[in-house]
Amino acid sequence: MNTYYKGEKSFEETWTFIFGNPTLAKEMLKHDMSIGLYVPPRILVQEIKGGLGTKIVYQAPSTFMGDVPPEVLQEALEVVDRKMEELLTRILTEPHH
């Protein structure tokens, strides 16, 4: 945001991370090409004003498909949900050097 406003207004530090598994993406796209809007997954990490912590915004992969996905695909998406949650929990709770 600071780049867009060229110093007119200051915003908290914000980062966007994009990551994913191409094999899982290929499987999801095979069932519904519109899922390309959400793949690869993104995470927005933002400093809370005043340095009071960190805010993380993301969409759980299991919510990517509007219609009911095939059961095997839903199971795979739920595994990715858990892995994302574990990763974010680890990032937020473990001390960093």
Side-chain angles (χ1 to χ4, degrees):
M1 295 297 289
N2 287 330
T3 301
Y4 295 132
Y5 288 95
K6 299 181 184 187
E8 294 172 26
K9 181 174 172 148
S10 180
F11 294 90
E12 287 70 37
E13 290 287 328
T14 304
W15 300 268
T16 301
F17 297 93
I18 300 170
F19 63 95
N21 178 328
T23 304
L24 181 58
K26 182 179 175 183
E27 183 64 25
M28 291 189 302
L29 290 165
K30 181 170 66 175
H31 294 281
D32 185 350
M33 286 300 289
S34 66
I35 208 153
L37 181 62
Y38 305 103
V39 173
R42 293 166 206 53
I43 297 173
L44 181 107
V45 179
Q46 184 177 41
E47 170 190 27
I48 295 174
K49 191 172 188 166
L52 298 175
T54 303
K55 176 171 110 175
I56 294 179
V57 180
Y58 70 99
Q59 184 174 358
S62 63
T63 66
F64 289 168
M65 301 185 85
D67 296 330
V68 177
E71 187 173 322
V72 67
L73 185 54
Q74 184 63 33
E75 290 171 9
L77 289 169
E78 289 171 1
V79 167
V80 177
D81 284 355
R82 285 192 299 278
K83 287 182 178 185
M84 278 183 72
E85 187 174 335
E86 289 169 8
L87 172 67
L88 296 173
T89 299
R90 188 171 171 195
I91 289 169
L92 290 171
T93 58
E94 289 186 9
H96 303 298
H97 305 284

